[in-house]
């Protein structure tokens, strides 16, 4: 049974949610239309009464549990784009283009085991984005999940390099190679989408929205059970890892050939299979906002043998099929235009599996 939770977002945090449940086959066939169409559902239907007791946590009852990106998916949050707003063109927005809204739950929420972690976010315009998801998070908490909110940054001018140069791609490459980004180390900040899970090992990149202090906060918070690995890429404007490095199975990773991983040898030495995805087929004239064509590799694993992939991307479909993975083909080009693919538009809340070590 796959449970899909659809959230109406908007950067002002309009709180609305509804629940739809169906068998996996029906859920995936109608996924996009259900996920992005407007509904009149209300968060009130999901909120429990104030005097309802908080249940004692037991692993069997906890509604939240995910250890990686590929165990069988049982519940997922899907974003929606209603009430979207364009933020002021401040320095941190200039560094990574403009526009965002609470339609990408992957950016703000990460599930590690039975814990939901709210990311502190790096953009001032996204500070209140967590509000769109609070009705669901409170429900999960009442039902036994752990709930952590990372320290909210003050987002003062000191958090951003006010002189960060917005110049050529070549200049950006040099700055990124030197570890220079628009965010400073004034206080912790990170977006959840810069982390990707593989059991006891979690991989993260330093980016325009994730600084070393934010990574260190996650390292200390999750120790000693989990180990955080910092990896980097030949990327002039790193922001979110899942269209650059997407782990799709135990010891199986998609690595973007245009943004190669500088530490790729350590994965090969660990016995991992590194797959280079084919070039995306999205046409040059298709409008993209805050994203690259490589959203073709921004896929959602339903389990080890099934993947949700863009119906228009026949080349990557063939790649998955050559790996013995069945493709569930859904058109998502309209959502690509708003910024993000299947992985971006979702946060997996529960996957059926156990915590294991897959690396070293």
């Amino acid at each position: 049974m796959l449970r899909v939770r659809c959230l109406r977002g908007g950067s002002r945090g309009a709180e609305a949610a509804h629940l739809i449940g169906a068998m996996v086959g029906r859920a995936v066939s109608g996924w996009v239309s259900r996920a992005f169409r407007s509904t009149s559902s209300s968060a009130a239907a999901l909120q429990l009464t104030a005097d309802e007791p908080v249940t004692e946590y037991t692993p069997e009852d906890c509604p939240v549990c995910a250890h990686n990106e590929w165990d069988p998916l049982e519940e997922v949050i899907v974003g929606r784009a209603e009430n979207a707003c364009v933020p002021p063109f401040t320095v941190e927005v200039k560094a990574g283009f403009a526009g965002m809204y609470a339609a990408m739950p992957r950016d703000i929420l990460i599930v590690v085991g039975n814990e939901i972690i709210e990311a502190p976010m790096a953009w001032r315009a996204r500070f209140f984005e967590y509000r769109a998801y609070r009705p669901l998070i409170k429900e999960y908490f009442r039902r036994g999940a752990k709930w952590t909110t990372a320290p909210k940054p003050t987002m003062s001018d000191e958090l951003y390099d006010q002189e960060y140069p917005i110049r050529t791609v070549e200049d950006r490459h040099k700055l990124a190679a030197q570890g220079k980004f628009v965010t400073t180390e004034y206080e912790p900040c990170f977006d959840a989408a810069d982390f990707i899970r593989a059991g006891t090992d979690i991989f993260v990149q330093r980016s325009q929205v994730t600084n070393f202090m934010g990574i260190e906060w996650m390292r200390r918070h999750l120790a000693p059970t989990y180990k955080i690995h910092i990896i980097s890429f030949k990327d002039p404007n790193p922001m979110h890892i899942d269209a650059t490095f997407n782990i799709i199975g135990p010891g199986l990773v998609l690595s973007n050939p245009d943004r190669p991983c500088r530490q790729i040898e350590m994965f090969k030495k660990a016995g991992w299979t590194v797959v280079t995805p084919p070039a995306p087929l999205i046409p040059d004239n298709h409008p993209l906002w805050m994203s690259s064509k490589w959203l073709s590799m921004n896929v959602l694993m339903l389990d080890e043998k099934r993947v949700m992939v863009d119906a228009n991307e026949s080349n990557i479909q063939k790649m998955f099929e050559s790996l013995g993975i069945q493709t569930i083909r859904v058109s998502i080009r309209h959502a690509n235009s708003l910024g993000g693919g299947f992985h971006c538009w979702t946060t997996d809340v529960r996957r059926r599996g156990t915590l294991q070590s897959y690396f070293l």
Side-chain angles (χ1 to χ4, degrees):
M1 189 78 144
L2 174 61
R3 206 181 199 200
V4 182
R5 316 300 295 268
C6 293
L7 269 292
R8 177 166 20 193
S11 56
R12 298 186 66 180
E15 297 177 357
H18 74 274
L19 169 63
I20 53 177
M23 296 303 292
V24 171
R26 292 206 310 271
V28 296
S29 65
W31 187 85
V32 170
S33 62
R34 291 172 184 263
F36 306 127
R37 72 186 181 194
S38 177
T39 73
S40 58
S41 58
S42 168
L46 283 177
Q47 294 180 6
L48 303 181
T49 58
D51 58 353
E52 184 166 340
V54 176
T55 58
E56 190 72 22
Y57 166 72
T58 57
E60 294 78 15
D61 296 331
C62 184
V64 170
C65 186
H67 302 293
N68 54 49
E69 309 288 336
W70 62 83
D71 276 340
L73 184 64
E74 294 185 335
E75 184 161 334
V76 65
I77 297 173
V78 178
R80 293 162 58 195
E82 283 94 338
N83 305 321
C85 299
V86 177
F89 208 48
T90 49
V91 63
E92 77 277 13
V93 179
K94 289 179 183 178
F97 308 107
M100 193 49 64
Y101 21 80
M104 307 289 171
R106 186 75 57 173
D107 295 359
I108 192 170
L109 300 175
I110 182 171
V111 172
V112 181
N114 60 16
E115 178 179 13
I116 297 179
I117 300 174
E118 288 182 25
M121 311 299 285
W123 285 14
R124 289 163 168 159
R126 305 189 75 178
F127 186 88
F128 294 106
E129 201 163 304
Y130 69 92
R131 291 172 57 87
Y133 302 96
R134 277 293 174 86
L136 287 183
I137 295 172
K138 288 187 290 185
E139 178 194 335
Y140 293 136
F141 177 72
R142 289 187 175 105
R143 293 170 54 199
K146 294 175 67 177
W147 170 19
T148 300
T149 298
K152 296 288 187 185
T154 60
M155 294 185 168
S156 64
D157 286 349
E158 288 84 355
L159 180 58
Y160 313 103
D161 179 357
Q162 301 295 328
E163 304 301 321
Y164 186 79
I166 312 296
R167 296 196 294 256
T168 65
V169 173
E170 289 75 18
D171 288 332
R172 288 293 191 88
H173 272 294
K174 292 177 183 176
L175 290 167
Q178 296 167 8
K180 295 181 180 179
F181 304 95
V182 70
T183 48
T184 70
E185 299 298 328
Y186 178 73
E187 57 190 343
C189 67
F190 63 86
D191 282 11
D194 270 328
F195 294 81
I196 198 157
R197 304 155 301 171
T200 57
D201 294 279
I202 298 176
F203 302 91
V204 63
Q205 67 171 349
R206 171 65 165 99
S207 76
Q208 300 287 21
V209 292
T210 296
N211 64 12
F212 288 123
M213 283 192 74
I215 295 170
E216 181 60 20
W217 184 90
M218 282 284 278
R219 188 196 308 275
R220 296 184 195 181
H221 178 70
L222 295 174
T225 304
Y226 299 90
K227 186 174 182 181
I228 303 292
H229 305 267
I230 301 175
I231 54 179
S232 61
F233 306 89
K234 190 178 179 182
D235 186 349
N237 195 41
M239 180 178 170
H240 303 166
I241 200 171
D242 48 8
T244 299
F245 198 80
N246 200 352
I247 302 174
I248 59 172
L252 184 62
V253 64
L254 301 183
S255 184
N256 189 322
D258 284 358
R259 302 193 283 267
C261 177
R262 295 188 176 96
Q263 296 80 21
I264 199 65
E265 288 303 317
M266 76 177 185
F267 292 93
K268 294 179 179 178
K269 288 179 181 178
W272 282 38
T273 299
V274 179
V275 179
T276 301
L281 298 177
I282 190 167
D284 291 338
N285 62 357
H286 186 84
L288 289 173
W289 187 249
M290 284 290 294
S291 301
S292 74
K293 291 184 178 182
W294 284 103
L295 289 175
S296 58
M297 64 176 282
N298 190 271
V299 296
L300 178 68
M301 300 302 298
L302 300 180
D303 53 40
E304 282 188 49
K305 296 300 181 181
R306 290 181 300 171
V307 61
M308 191 168 286
V309 66
D310 189 344
N312 301 287
E313 292 288 345
S314 58
N315 286 351
I316 202 166
Q317 292 166 19
K318 293 175 183 176
M319 181 212 75
F320 278 113
E321 289 161 3
S322 72
L323 296 171
I325 299 173
Q326 178 188 357
T327 56
I328 308 298
R329 305 172 186 182
V330 180
S331 178
I332 197 174
R333 287 276 169 89
H334 58 293
N336 291 165
S337 297
L338 296 174
F342 293 109
H343 202 255
C344 297
W345 281 86
T346 60
T347 288
D348 39 348
V349 174
R350 188 173 63 252
R351 289 183 179 273
R352 187 171 63 252
T354 58
L355 181 62
Q356 300 181 44
S357 175
Y358 304 95
F359 187 73
L360 302 180

